[in-house]
Amino acid sequence: MSIISLKNVTKHFIVREKRHIPLYRDVLNRFLKQKEQTVIKALEGIDLEIPKGEKVGVVGHNGAGKTTLMRIITGIYRPTSGEMHIRGHVAPFLQSGVQMAPTLAVIDNLKLYGAIIGLTRVQIERSKEQILQFAELEKFEYVPLQLLSRGMQQRLFYSVLYQTMHYRSSNIYIFDEALSAGDAHFTEKCKEFMASLRKTDKTILIVSHSKEWILNHCDRAILLQKGRIAMSGLPQDVMEQYDRDRLSRKSRAPLS
């Protein structure tokens, strides 16, 4: 039985357009209660089965639908159509920052993210000093998060995952472009953490442009193109196709 199952999943976003239109058209739209809008098809017909313990890399060019797919699996977005079944608890680590409260202090964000991934207040209190130390943010405990660099912010949330792993019942981990936080020293910590997860029966999804991360930490990779799964297979084969697509796109790009 798959721990993550998506069948014909789509996700469309409706964008209300703000543009100058003739007065008669504006009056007619208001009378008919219509609005100028554009439908963005972020995902189309996604079929995906991931068994327990599999480590899956997700690659694709910007705008391919990677983050949208991760947000659907995490539960942040609901599919527009299709069926989805997630069997277990998801621990998300998203670069896009949906778990962040920029105006709150580092310590408050630590507690917030801990709660998001299922920790109790007692567990968070017991771990907060180790979290700050691992993230190398002891001196920034009461500094508003928005004053920290993106790398420092990523270190904080990565540290919450790492230092409290033994508390959680999470069996699915999602990393969306979140494995290169900070300098080389901290990156080594990230690699050690991923190596430890690699040996467990946890299910892991890694979204990354890094060939190293996909090849070293994944059993399988999928390539997204324009909201669809274009390829699924061995990481080496998928990354080779991804590189070919990238070179092809570069050759078609207009000269500046």
Side-chain angles (χ1 to χ4, degrees), residues 206-230:
I206 300 176
V207 176
S208 179
H209 292 286
S210 169
K211 189 172 185 177
E212 177 187 1
W213 283 105
I214 300 298
L215 295 182
N216 291 343
H217 300 292
C218 298
D219 306 314
R220 174 166 62 114
I222 63 174
L223 172 63
L224 283 179
Q225 291 180 345
K226 297 180 180 179
R228 297 179 180 273
I229 296 179

Side-chain angles (χ1 to χ4, degrees), residues 59 221-223 231-242:
V59 299
I222 63 174
L223 172 63
M231 183 179 181
S232 175
L234 294 174
Q236 183 68 41
D237 296 338
V238 173
M239 291 309 297
E240 287 177 0
Q241 182 61 48
Y242 177 52

Side-chain angles (χ1 to χ4, degrees), residues 9-151:
V9 166
T10 68
K11 181 59 181 177
H12 297 170
F13 296 97
I14 297 177
V15 179
R16 308 295 180 183
E17 294 188 5
K18 292 184 178 180
R19 59 178 181 174
H20 295 292
I21 60 175
L23 180 59
Y24 77 89
R25 180 70 176 274
D26 185 42
V27 173
L28 184 60
N29 286 344
R30 290 174 184 272
F31 178 74
L32 297 175
K33 296 184 179 180
Q34 295 179 342
K35 293 184 178 180
E36 297 288 325
Q37 62 185 35
T38 298
V39 176
I40 298 176
K41 299 180 179 180
L43 294 175
E44 284 290 320
I46 297 293
D47 291 317
L48 181 61
E49 300 287 335
I50 300 178
K52 178 181 178 180
E54 189 176 27
K55 281 65 177 175
V56 180
V58 182
V59 299
H61 303 289
N62 293 334
K66 304 184 299 296
T67 293
T68 300
L69 178 58
M70 294 306 104
R71 289 189 175 195
I72 283 179
I73 293 174
T74 303
I76 297 170
Y77 291 158
R78 290 184 178 179
T80 302
S81 63
E83 297 180 13
M84 179 179 70
H85 300 283
I86 308 297
R87 298 174 175 87
H89 185 270
V90 180
F93 186 58
L94 310 177
Q95 186 191 46
S96 49
V98 295
Q99 70 268 38
M100 298 179 183
T103 59
L104 296 183
V106 166
I107 187 63
D108 296 322
N109 274 275
L110 183 159
K111 294 176 181 178
L112 174 62
Y113 187 46
I116 288 174
I117 62 176
L119 300 180
T120 67
R121 184 176 299 178
V122 172
Q123 290 169 342
I124 295 170
E125 286 295 325
R126 286 177 180 172
S127 306
K128 64 182 182 182
E129 290 184 9
Q130 294 95 323
I131 292 169
L132 292 171
Q133 184 178 8
F134 186 84
E136 303 168 9
L137 294 174
E138 304 99 309
K139 297 179 181 179
F140 300 89
E141 183 174 354
Y142 298 105
V143 174
L145 191 73
Q146 62 189 359
L147 299 183
L148 273 57
S149 69
R150 175 51 66 100

Side-chain angles (χ1 to χ4, degrees), residues 55 192-202 204:
K55 281 65 177 175
E192 291 175 7
F193 177 44
M194 288 305 302
S196 66
L197 277 181
R198 187 83 171 85
K199 299 173 183 178
T200 70
D201 62 352
K202 308 291 186 182
I204 303 174

